[in-house]
């Protein structure tokens, strides 16, 4: 009879562990990764140019003026900055 009780305790502990793990780690609500390259998260678009070279020139101009900037990987190339830097970026790009 002790073998039956030991087996029941082992399965009970495993079940409790499974429920605990399911409760704390099993409800993953993270967004699906952007596989097509169109979601830029927190970044805001300030310019769109047709070539990679033009995008690189604009990014370097923004960086020289203290604005953190980046560009997209695919054409048409989008120059993007953080929302707090949008006004400064547009001012720099106008000059």
């Amino acid at each position: 009879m002790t073998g039956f009780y030991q087996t029941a305790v082992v399965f009970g502990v495993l079940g409790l562990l499974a429920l605990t793990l399911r409760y704390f780690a099993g409800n993953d609500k993270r967004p699906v990764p952007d596989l097509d390259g169109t979601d830029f998260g927190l970044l805001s678009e300030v310019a769109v140019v047709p070539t990679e070279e033009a995008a690189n020139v604009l990014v370097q101009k923004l960086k020289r003026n203290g604005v953190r900037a980046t560009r997209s990987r695919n054409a048409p190339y989008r120059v993007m900055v953080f929302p707090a830097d949008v006004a400064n970026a547009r001012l720099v790009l106008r000059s």
Side-chain angles (χ1 to χ4, degrees):
M1 254 333 199
T2 59
F4 175 74
Y5 290 121
Q6 288 175 343
T7 304
V9 168
V10 167
F11 280 112
V13 169
L14 288 176
L16 185 62
L17 180 62
L19 288 174
T20 303
L21 288 174
R22 172 81 175 146
Y23 179 76
F24 286 108
N27 201 5
D28 191 8
K29 301 244 186 215
R30 290 179 291 182
V32 177
D34 177 35
L35 300 178
D36 61 354
T38 57
D39 181 24
F40 302 113
L42 295 175
L43 298 175
S44 298
E45 179 181 294
V46 291
V48 178
V49 291
T51 64
E52 183 177 6
E53 293 80 20
N56 288 337
V57 167
L58 293 179
V59 167
Q60 290 306 317
K61 182 177 182 179
L62 289 168
K63 286 183 178 181
R64 278 193 308 270
N65 287 285
V67 178
R68 296 175 297 171
T70 188
R71 67 170 176 80
S72 62
R73 291 178 268 158
N74 303 326
Y77 295 94
R78 291 168 170 78
V79 177
M80 298 167 292
V81 299
F82 286 100
D85 297 331
V86 170
N88 291 339
R90 289 188 177 147
L91 185 63
V92 168
L93 292 177
R94 281 187 196 153
S95 59

